[in-house]
Amino acid sequence: MKFTKIGLLLLLSLSLVQCSDEFLEKTQPDTINTGNYPTNAEELVTLVNGAYQPLQWPKLYNLRMWTTDIFAGNSLVGAGGGEDGIETTSLANFVTNSANEGVLDLWRGPWPGILRSNIVISVAPGLNIDETIKNRSLGEAYFLRAHYYFVLVRFFGDVPLITQPQSSSSNLYPSRTPAGEVYAQIISDLENAAELLPVKQDYADADKGRASKGTALGMLAKVHLTRGNWQEVVNLTAQLQSMGYSLNANYADNFRTETENSNESLFEVQYAANAGYDFWSNENQSSWASTFMGPRSSGLVAGAYGWNQPTQEFMSNYEAGDNRKDVTVLYEGGPAFDGQQYSASWSFTGYNVRKFLVPLSVSSSFDNSPLNFPVLRYADVLLMRAEALNELGQTAAAEAPLNEVRHRAGLDDIQSGLSQSAFRDAVLKERRLELAFEGQRWFDLIRVNNGQYGLDFLHSIGKTNADEHHLLLPIPQIERDRNPNLTQNPGY
């Protein structure tokens, strides 16, 4: 299901802003032409589709979100060496500053999606259209706005909170809103989304990738996990357990084009082959993951730029018999990929990421991969539940959801009778391996024990210059130059 093939129809018919870098050099990213809003159900659905589109861009899930595993210590940039990926190397070495291009991407990436979501939320209630489409569209917009803000607040802390479409009469120089207020809006939006959205099973096949009730509840659980609201996490994950989600029998099915939007998937960013756009443009709707992560000069996949090379320290965490290892990482002596053996000489570390590689038989051109990117899986829900139960002192009960994930990986039950602290470490290790290279590890590092968990880990792998101020990214200086009301995070 690839419902986000919207093309220029959306951008022209609804007179939305052009969100290219060229545009962002000229004016604020939250201004729009308000003279041509949608008037019927078809136009509203088209606008909602456009609100999903920024998730696909390299500013978010097509590059920057998964590169957070690099500065989280799971991997190295790799690539071609030298200046290739230097912005990510600076982040990974904790020497970044407010001029970093990767940071600018992460700041700018969510705002067009927030804008488009705000339009839907503003306009949809007044449309005289089918109530089912209206409610679903509103639910999708509430979820998307919450998700975009969840990205921003975790990276930057306080950010401007904009919940209405902006016009020339709006305050185009908003100040940063305290993170607590941003989280309150995120929670409210996700609760609204959960009330309005259908369950996944009610979607037709053509719409399976849209946000559903389970998507909203799962993201809400993730927000409460981030905030340390353990009982809310337990309540929400219990609700999700009753909604028909399950782990795929085969871990690899989470990363195959043939099994996208599976019963384990709560939400994934949709990509398509033959999308008809330049590979390097925002409008591109083919995935970069296989092209960027394929072993350089190997001929193993189309493109193959060699980014995101797992470290030896990461590899040392796999237990014997963990079947996720062969799915997640290419290593010398491991299973062949598409009939070819891997050579450690293709990587600076001797390893490459495997789970997002697409065989040449599926995508023979570097600019044509249709593989979706997972944002929220049921395995994550089970691990959130295990962590929350343990934090509430119910460590024995927490073993069941953790063991469910371990069993699918081919592993035995976790040792019974662990202390709360030891069990916490076990869950975090399981999260690291289960969700490796899916852009989750950095957020775990910075949330546990107010980020001290992350600092301790980073120091243990030699990143001793990482300190408390690095738990947030700097506000890009180019944005502060344009908006004097944007303050800078401490330490930058």
Side-chain angles (χ1 to χ4, degrees):
M1 196 288 296
K2 306 293 181 183
F3 64 85
T4 49
K5 284 188 177 180
I6 57 172
L8 293 177
L9 173 64
L10 170 73
L11 300 179
L12 296 177
S13 67
L14 299 180
S15 300
L16 293 181
V17 294
Q18 297 298 312
C19 297
S20 67
D21 288 340
E22 180 182 0
F23 171 80
L24 289 168
E25 292 297 323
K26 296 177 180 178
T27 186
Q28 293 291 320
D30 298 303
T31 59
I32 57 173
N33 180 339
T34 59
N36 196 12
Y37 279 164
T39 59
N40 57 49
E42 182 179 5
E43 290 178 350
L44 180 64
V45 170
T46 301
L47 179 57
V48 172
N49 290 353
Y52 283 92
Q53 194 183 36
L55 296 173
Q56 298 174 314
W57 295 350
K59 289 179 173 64
L60 290 176
Y61 286 97
N62 223 3
L63 177 65
R64 296 302 174 192
M65 293 299 283
W66 57 256
T67 61
T68 61
D69 270 58
I70 297 171
F71 51 90
N74 278 352
S75 49
L76 305 182
V77 172
E83 297 292 303
D84 195 4
I86 190 64
E87 77 292 336
T88 307
T89 299
S90 295
L91 282 161
N93 291 336
F94 298 95
V95 293
T96 195
N97 57 40
S98 59
N100 185 286
E101 290 294 324
V103 171
L104 182 62
D105 279 353
L106 287 168
W107 174 268
R108 287 180 170 177
W111 293 110
I114 291 170
L115 161 69
R116 297 174 187 186
S117 300
N118 281 341
I119 297 174
V120 175
I121 293 167
S122 174
V123 173
L127 296 179
N128 184 23
I129 62 173
D130 178 80
E131 288 295 313
T132 300
I133 294 295
K134 180 190 294 188
N135 288 337
R136 189 192 80 185
S137 297
L138 273 169
E140 290 174 279
Y142 277 122
F143 164 75
L144 289 166
R145 183 169 73 180
H147 183 50
Y148 288 123
Y149 266 116
F150 192 35
V151 170
L152 282 170
V153 75
R154 287 181 293 173
F155 279 129
F156 297 100
D158 302 349
V159 294
L161 184 59
I162 301 169
T163 58
Q164 295 291 329
Q166 291 193 290
S167 67
S168 59
S169 62
S170 302
N171 174 18
L172 299 181
Y173 302 98
S175 301
R176 297 169 69 188
T177 302
E181 295 180 32
V182 178
Y183 273 110
Q185 184 66 53
I186 291 169
I187 291 169
S188 174
D189 281 355
L190 290 172
E191 290 174 344
N192 286 334
E195 288 295 321
L196 291 164
L197 287 168
V199 296
K200 183 177 180 178
Q201 294 88 335
D202 287 350
Y203 276 120
D205 287 345
D207 289 317
K208 284 295 185 193
R210 294 186 183 277
S212 67
K213 183 182 184 70
T215 309
L217 293 175
M219 195 62 69
L220 186 58
K222 178 81 73 168
V223 173
H224 283 302
L225 184 86
T226 301
R227 303 291 281 169
N229 299 327
W230 307 116
Q231 189 59 57
E232 285 85 350
V233 176
V234 169
N235 295 344
L236 288 162
T237 53
Q239 191 170 350
L240 286 161
Q241 285 181 308
S242 69
M243 292 177 65
Y245 292 101
S246 63
L247 297 180
N248 292 323
N250 188 344
Y251 178 70
D253 284 346
N254 292 295
F255 317 106
R256 289 177 175 156
T257 56
E258 303 89 343
T259 47
E260 293 174 337
N261 302 308
S262 69
N263 211 44
E264 184 169 339
S265 172
L266 277 74
F267 190 64
E268 51 197 68
V269 178
Q270 309 292 304
Y271 287 106
N274 304 310
Y277 299 99
D278 177 69
F279 185 64
W280 304 107
S281 71
N282 276 341
E283 288 74 25
N284 163 55
Q285 292 175 343
S286 295
S287 172
W288 283 16
S290 184
T291 296
F292 269 71
M293 296 189 209
R296 200 172 187 89
S297 303
S298 67
L300 208 60
V301 298
Y305 297 162
W307 280 56
N308 206 19
Q309 297 175 4
T311 66
Q312 182 59 54
E313 185 279 331
F314 170 81
M315 295 296 295
S316 69
N317 285 273
Y318 282 109
E319 298 175 43
D322 191 333
N323 59 42
R324 294 171 298 195
K325 178 181 177 180
D326 289 350
V327 174
T328 302
V329 182
L330 289 167
Y331 61 97
E332 197 162 89
F337 179 86
D338 204 22
Q340 298 186 61
Q341 292 296 323
Y342 175 76
S343 170
S345 65
W346 292 335
S347 164
F348 294 117
T349 66
Y351 307 103
N352 285 92
V353 172
R354 180 181 181 130
K355 63 166 48 171
F356 296 116
L357 301 190
V358 177
L360 291 168
S361 58
V362 174
S363 179
S364 60
S365 173
F366 79 97
D367 59 355
N368 215 26
S369 171
L371 184 63
N372 291 352
F373 193 91
V375 175
L376 189 59
R377 299 195 278 111
Y378 186 61
D380 196 348
V381 171
L382 292 171
L383 293 173
M384 287 193 283
R385 181 170 180 80
E387 183 175 347
L389 285 167
N390 180 60
E391 295 300 332
L392 290 171
Q394 302 174 43
T395 303
E399 292 176 6
L402 176 59
N403 285 334
E404 190 171 346
V405 174
R406 287 178 59 82
H407 292 167
R408 196 263 300 271
L411 299 174
D412 294 334
D413 286 352
I414 194 74
Q415 178 184 338
S416 293
L418 292 177
S419 68
Q420 184 183 57
S421 177
F423 192 90
R424 180 186 302 120
D425 289 342
V427 172
L428 292 169
K429 177 182 177 182
E430 207 68 44
R431 290 186 61 82
R432 187 183 185 191
L433 297 173
E434 174 69 30
L435 306 172
F437 311 112
E438 297 176 38
Q440 301 286 350
R441 175 65 172 171
W442 175 251
F443 297 125
D444 284 342
L445 291 183
I446 65 174
R447 70 175 172 82
V448 177
N449 194 19
N450 296 316
Q452 190 59 50
Y453 168 75
L455 293 176
D456 290 344
F457 167 74
L458 292 167
H459 295 167
S460 76
I461 61 171
K463 297 179 183 289
T464 55
N465 61 322
D467 64 30
E468 185 176 359
H469 89 271
H470 291 116
L471 300 177
L472 294 176
L473 299 181
I475 307 301
Q477 188 59 44
I478 191 172
E479 301 294 340
R480 296 188 66 225
D481 290 343
R482 291 172 180 155
N483 179 358
N485 294 323
L486 288 178
T487 56
Q488 184 56 276
N489 281 326
Y492 292 104

